[in-house]
Amino acid sequence: NGPQSPCAMAHQIPAGCKGGGKGGWPAVPHHQANQPVVYYGQNGLEVKGRRRLEDVAFEEILAELQGQLTEQLNQAESSVPVIQDLDLSQNKLTADQFENLFVSLGVASARVVRFRLFGCPTLDDQVMLQLAEYLRGNLTEETAPAEMHLSDCAITAEGFKHLMSVIEESDVYPRKDEKRPDQGWPLYLRLENNYISNEAIQEKIDSGVIQLFTKQWGAKKGPADGAKVNLLGEDWNFRQRTGKPPSPEEARPPKMVKDRSAEVLQSNLARGLVMPVGGKGLKGRDSQRPAFDSGQVPPGHFRPPSR
């Protein structure tokens, strides 16, 4: 078997995993530190980079991703490359790194089904502008994200307005329900624990752009000409912090969030069912559940997988 690439190979457990991460940040669990970052899952390419930038260079992850997107384009010129789950949450990416990521996705005209960028203290209004510009140039029915997880970052009302403006300009949301053409799915959006004023969010609720949902009932679809965004929250309880965002150096350590998909990946690695990018001799593909698992929720609602 040939050597695996840096992102696909089994990494040595970084020193931070033995006694905690840098600056009080929680270290990557031992089993996740040995998992591939870029690999093929059941529904397409996946990036599992949560808290991984201490042991894997961002540039290596991006190079692997760019290579795989190019390969998908070459193999099927008429189809859109799909990244089922792009998880770079709880990292301190620089503004330039975020920009390089969005540029790479735009050049490939790729669809990211689920963006998970929560817990990034460097994801501020400047990055939200970059994200909005990326979406503005690439938002189509074929490429529209289904979910964006942007909680616990450094977003204020300004960054929130950048995102809302591009969503309001587009006719993509709510995404059409093929079984019920008169209904559609708004963008699933998480923004809690940022620094967005209640007034800014309420304005978009009053205008009909946003509808709220709770974890208990899950997000819901609505009329095809209805709300464009499903936002986690309750009436005037949007779970926002007050004041100005702290500097990345002063930001509180991220919360430990159970990643069930990482546990599934670890199980499938042990069974030899996962296909890491650049690796050879691994059979099959992993057997993760689909992105939308309705679980025990009422009809017309859904709960995405646990973070």
Side-chain angles (χ1 to χ4, degrees), residues 168-243:
E168 289 182 84
E169 293 168 8
S170 171
D171 294 327
V172 171
Y173 297 108
R175 293 176 298 109
K176 294 179 181 177
D177 186 328
E178 295 182 359
K179 296 181 179 179
R180 296 285 303 274
D182 61 326
Q183 296 187 349
W185 287 104
L187 172 68
Y188 179 100
L189 183 62
R190 297 279 301 269
L191 284 172
E192 62 271 22
N193 297 321
N194 277 289
Y195 297 84
I196 306 167
S197 66
N198 283 343
E199 289 77 12
I201 296 176
Q202 188 63 47
E203 178 184 347
K204 298 304 177 184
I205 295 173
D206 293 341
S207 65
V209 176
I210 289 177
Q211 64 183 15
L212 299 176
F213 75 94
T214 64
K215 287 185 178 180
Q216 179 181 2
W217 295 108
K220 59 182 182 294
K221 59 184 175 182
D225 58 352
K228 295 176 178 288
V229 175
N230 272 322
L231 180 69
L232 179 66
E234 301 177 77
D235 290 344
W236 278 98
N237 181 14
F238 309 132
R239 306 181 188 181
Q240 297 297 307
R241 296 181 174 135
T242 58

Side-chain angles (χ1 to χ4, degrees), residues 82-96:
V82 175
I83 303 172
Q84 183 66 28
D85 191 1
L86 177 56
D87 188 353
L88 291 173
S89 52
Q90 298 186 335
N91 289 302
K92 295 182 180 180
L93 280 75
T94 67
D96 287 343

Side-chain angles (χ1 to χ4, degrees), residues 112-127:
V112 179
V113 177
R114 184 186 302 113
F115 276 99
R116 289 201 273 192
L117 300 174
F118 62 87
C120 293
T122 53
L123 202 166
D124 56 11
D125 293 341
Q126 177 186 352
V127 175

